[in-house]
Amino acid sequence: MTTATAPAPRALDSIRLSFPGLVRSEWIKLRSLRSTVWCYVLIILGTAGFGVLMALSANIGNDALPQAAQNNMVAQYLTIGGNFTGLIAAVLGVLIISGEYTTGMIRTTYTAAPKRLSAYTAKGLVLTVVTFVVGLISIAAAVAVSLPIFAANKIVPELGNLDVLIPLIGSAAYLALIALLSFSLGAILRNSAGGIAAAVGLLFVLPVGINIVYSFTGAAWAANIATILPGSVGAALYQYTGEGAGSAPTPGFDGDGLLVLDQTWSIVIFAAWIVVGLIAGAILTKRRDA
């Protein structure tokens, strides 16, 4: 008579990482990927490069601008690069999660974290924090290389003024949150090409298409959709609202039926996009097979 022998446990079956351990693991994976390093380098170079280009275009001749106008100009010029570096952050956010599905490494990750949501959270947390820090570094680089050019054009901003600091820091937050939103799309689609196409389409292509429809048809619904898209409302994070920026708009619909948002409502809607995306990604991560 033979007896059944239980299969020997695999070596990985006993490995269970705590949440701090998962965070350290995700940090190691993030900085060991060559594509991640290049994306962050491009964000820094892109932000600094756009800052220089805008500073070079800020020649005001012999006129002297009021201090508030100088602050406004510098805050806008140094953050305009976010419209383009956000594309890099979006691609990075998708690849952080979809790349593991492509290589099959996600199975190892979920073996160490069987409940999955802890690994999902750790990935999103590390991506957001690191991208925010890189965003701050990129803004600092833009300030460092652009200030001498601004000064040569008689523009000297008050960098210690919160009216200037908040938009600069907000631009770094915008990059981090765009990466997080794209991360959720990568978790939902689990495919690099599909996730990147969805992120780029939602953040950059769709607004252009809808604005074209509005320009030809004048349809209020098209303009209103464009107003609440994540790329539009997210820009409120680096919007200059200090002295010289004009009065804040009153939220609601104007006489033409066009939706008007102030900075607060824009940020709330942007946060809603991210929360909905992360919840959908978490549900699908929990329910689907790796």
Side-chain angles (χ1 to χ4, degrees), residues 230-267:
S232 301
V233 291
L237 287 169
Y238 54 87
Q239 177 184 350
Y240 180 85
T241 59
E243 183 183 355
S247 58
T250 301
F253 292 92
D254 63 14
D256 297 324
L258 298 177
L259 179 62
V260 178
L261 299 174
D262 61 4
Q263 186 182 41
T264 300
W265 272 107
S266 295
I267 293 175

Side-chain angles (χ1 to χ4, degrees), residues 187-209:
I188 292 169
L189 297 175
R190 303 200 301 181
N191 178 275
S192 296
I196 291 172
V200 173
L202 179 63
L203 296 170
F204 302 98
V205 178
L206 188 57
V208 174

Side-chain angles (χ1 to χ4, degrees), residues 204-225:
F204 302 98
V205 178
L206 188 57
V208 174
I210 292 179
N211 283 322
I212 290 174
V213 171
Y214 175 68
S215 65
F216 279 99
T217 66
W221 63 264
N224 292 339
I225 291 176

Side-chain angles (χ1 to χ4, degrees), residues 25-207:
S25 174
E26 293 303 328
W27 163 240
I28 292 171
K29 285 191 282 187
L30 184 70
R31 61 188 173 88
S32 63
L33 291 173
R34 190 174 302 174
S35 59
T36 301
V37 175
W38 276 111
C39 282
Y40 284 139
V41 169
L42 289 175
I43 286 175
I44 295 172
L45 294 178
T47 304
F50 276 106
V52 169
L53 290 176
M54 296 306 297
L56 290 172
S57 69
N59 191 339
I60 60 174
N62 294 322
D63 297 329
L65 287 178
Q67 187 61 58
Q70 295 181 46
N71 292 342
N72 189 350
M73 176 183 290
V74 170
Q76 291 189 39
Y77 281 14
L78 291 182
T79 57
I80 197 171
N83 295 319
F84 304 94
T85 54
L87 175 62
I88 303 173
V91 172
L92 177 62
V94 172
L95 291 178
I96 288 299
I97 181 74
S98 65
E100 289 205 30
Y101 282 102
T102 301
T103 61
M105 186 182 291
I106 197 69
R107 297 186 184 91
T108 303
T109 300
Y110 289 159
T111 299
K115 294 183 179 181
R116 298 189 179 185
L117 292 185
S118 57
Y120 177 80
T121 304
K123 283 181 183 294
L125 177 63
V126 170
L127 171 67
T128 304
V129 171
V130 174
T131 304
F132 178 67
V133 172
V134 170
L136 291 177
I137 294 172
S138 68
I139 280 293
V143 170
V145 297
S146 301
L147 277 187
I149 303 174
F150 280 121
N153 291 325
K154 302 178 182 178
I155 300 173
V156 183
E158 298 173 320
L159 293 179
N161 191 323
L162 287 179
D163 291 341
V164 179
L165 280 177
I166 290 176
L168 297 182
I169 296 173
S171 66
Y174 172 76
L175 289 179
L177 294 176
I178 285 293
L180 185 60
L181 175 60
S182 301
F183 167 81
S184 71
L185 294 176
I188 292 169
L189 297 175
R190 303 200 301 181
N191 178 275
S192 296
I196 291 172
V200 173
L202 179 63
L203 296 170
F204 302 98
V205 178
L206 188 57

